[in-house]
Amino acid sequence: MLNINNFQLIVYDFDGVMTDNKVYVDQNGNEMVQVNRADGLGVSEIKKLGIDQLIISTEKNPVVSNRAKKLGIPSFFGIDDKKSLLLEYCSKKSIDKEKVIYIGNDINDKHAIEIVGYSLCPSDSHQSIIDIVDYVLNSKGGSGVIREFLDFLN
């Protein structure tokens, strides 16, 4: 079992973790995604454990920062090199990368996953990610991944 007390930061990808990796586009070109309220509860409960949380997304749509703001956690979006951003963030915050948990689902998460202390992914992640993470959650992206992760911690 994972001892959360050994970690300082949890990093989430957005699309495919907090969402089902789909985007809805209306006739005017406006994009929307669907998130799971259970994940919001998960983030809130994890805050009570005293561990920092962060979203890093390749997605350029400000929906990422809007969701993060509502959850009360920092975010970076439009990031092509998640590993470099994560290393820079950890350096600025004096966080050992071995004390980071990363939850991602696709090839753009691979290099970041490879440098952290513990990694997880949703069950519908790309096979190359399933092959390298420490644990595969039962939930699919957008279906309560973070909420399940909270249960995994308890």
Side-chain angles (χ1 to χ4, degrees):
M1 186 59 72
L2 185 66
N3 183 350
I4 194 66
N5 295 321
N6 294 333
F7 294 92
Q8 297 175 285
L9 177 66
I10 302 168
V11 179
Y12 308 111
D13 178 30
F14 187 72
D15 287 316
V17 173
M18 292 187 168
T19 77
D20 63 3
N21 222 11
K22 295 177 182 171
V23 63
Y24 302 93
V25 183
D26 71 15
Q27 66 275 17
N28 298 314
N30 298 313
E31 294 184 357
M32 293 183 352
V33 296
Q34 180 176 309
V35 295
N36 191 309
R37 288 195 183 273
D39 285 338
L41 176 65
V43 167
S44 178
E45 291 297 311
I46 290 169
K47 280 183 186 178
K48 294 176 185 176
L49 300 175
I51 186 165
D52 291 335
Q53 300 169 84
L54 171 70
I55 298 171
I56 302 176
S57 179
T58 305
E59 176 57 50
K60 292 176 174 54
N61 191 317
V63 68
V64 178
S65 62
N66 289 331
R67 181 64 177 155
K69 185 176 181 179
K70 183 165 185 173
L71 295 172
I73 61 175
S75 68
F76 296 90
F77 67 103
I79 304 302
D80 291 325
D81 186 350
K82 294 181 179 188
K83 175 184 171 183
S84 292
L85 183 125
L86 180 56
L87 288 171
E88 181 181 330
Y89 185 88
C90 287
S91 176
K92 285 182 181 177
K93 300 285 187 177
S94 299
I95 297 171
D96 179 350
K97 64 183 176 23
E98 289 296 318
K99 295 186 180 267
V100 174
I101 297 170
Y102 193 102
I103 303 178
N105 73 302
D106 215 331
I107 59 173
N108 58 345
D109 297 303
K110 183 178 188 289
H111 298 298
I113 286 171
E114 292 173 333
I115 65 163
V116 299
Y118 198 85
S119 57
L120 304 93
C121 72
S123 62
D124 60 344
S125 295
H126 190 270
Q127 188 62 48
S128 65
I129 300 304
I130 290 172
D131 291 344
I132 65 169
V133 296
D134 297 300
Y135 188 80
V136 178
L137 296 157
N138 291 317
S139 300
K140 292 182 178 182
S143 297
V145 169
I146 298 169
R147 181 63 186 87
E148 181 184 344
F149 174 62
L150 172 66
D151 288 342
F152 177 76
L153 296 176
N154 295 325

